[in-house]
Amino acid sequence: MGAIAGVVVLIDQVTKQWAMDTVPLWRGVPVIDGFFNLVHVQNRGAAFGFLNREDTDWQFYFFAAVTLVAVAVLFYLAKTAKERSPLLFTSLGLILGGAIGNFIDRCRFRHVIDFLDFYVGDWHWPAFNVADIGITCGVILMLLHMFCSARRKG
């Protein structure tokens, strides 16, 4: 779990630094015209820009607290797991790494750096980062683990 989390944090922080050094703030660089841009966005909120407001500061404290609780829950789940499933521990590691990666940004900058922008026509998926990919893939793997465990028991 720890090694996977560490790899996610490392890749996340390196790619975010690269995006900050390479892409001008609030600008986009086309990679695949009509589908994918690299952008440099500062998100003070949560997923999909939820609660992303620059005129308030309470989001930092709220999301910092949520992250700390989530990390505690992840460690609790790992410690109390009845089976030592590689799928479960991979999912926990991905989620943990993503949570820590975004937490580092919040502590350093008071916002999260997002830089991946996928779109079709005028429809844009909200910009995201490697930490978000880790969290999303981890949740999917955890659901898969739960589904497989329920089928084995049922």
Side-chain angles (χ1 to χ4, degrees):
M1 182 172 107
I4 292 170
V7 169
V8 172
V9 170
L10 178 66
I11 295 170
D12 177 64
Q13 291 298 300
V14 167
T15 56
K16 286 174 179 173
Q17 188 62 55
W18 176 84
M20 288 187 296
D21 293 344
T22 306
V23 181
L25 184 60
W26 307 117
R27 303 284 295 268
V29 176
V31 177
I32 301 173
D33 198 34
F35 181 68
F36 175 57
N37 292 334
L38 292 172
V39 297
H40 181 174
V41 177
Q42 298 174 345
N43 181 2
R44 294 171 58 107
F48 309 114
F50 179 67
L51 300 176
N52 184 17
R53 295 187 48 180
E54 292 189 30
D55 60 339
T56 62
D57 197 39
W58 63 267
Q59 303 101 311
F60 167 77
Y61 301 102
F62 175 74
F63 290 120
V66 167
T67 301
L68 294 174
V69 168
V71 167
V73 167
L74 291 169
F75 277 108
Y76 174 79
L77 290 172
K79 184 176 180 168
T80 61
K82 290 185 169 66
E83 60 179 290
R84 296 294 176 204
S85 162
L87 188 59
L88 173 63
F89 283 89
T90 299
S91 72
L92 294 174
L94 289 168
I95 296 168
L96 178 63
I100 291 171
N102 282 339
F103 184 72
I104 290 169
D105 283 14
R106 289 189 194 285
C107 291
R108 287 179 65 199
F109 311 119
R110 299 285 179 146
H111 58 259
V112 172
I113 302 297
D114 289 327
F115 62 94
L116 301 169
D117 174 36
F118 287 89
Y119 63 100
V120 175
D122 290 335
W123 184 85
H124 282 252
W125 188 260
F128 59 97
N129 58 48
V130 173
D132 298 335
I133 295 169
I135 293 167
T136 301
C137 291
V139 168
I140 291 168
L141 290 179
M142 184 175 286
L143 292 171
L144 180 62
H145 165 76
M146 292 167 58
F147 176 76
C148 291
S149 293
R151 286 188 56 134
R152 279 193 301 271
K153 292 177 186 173

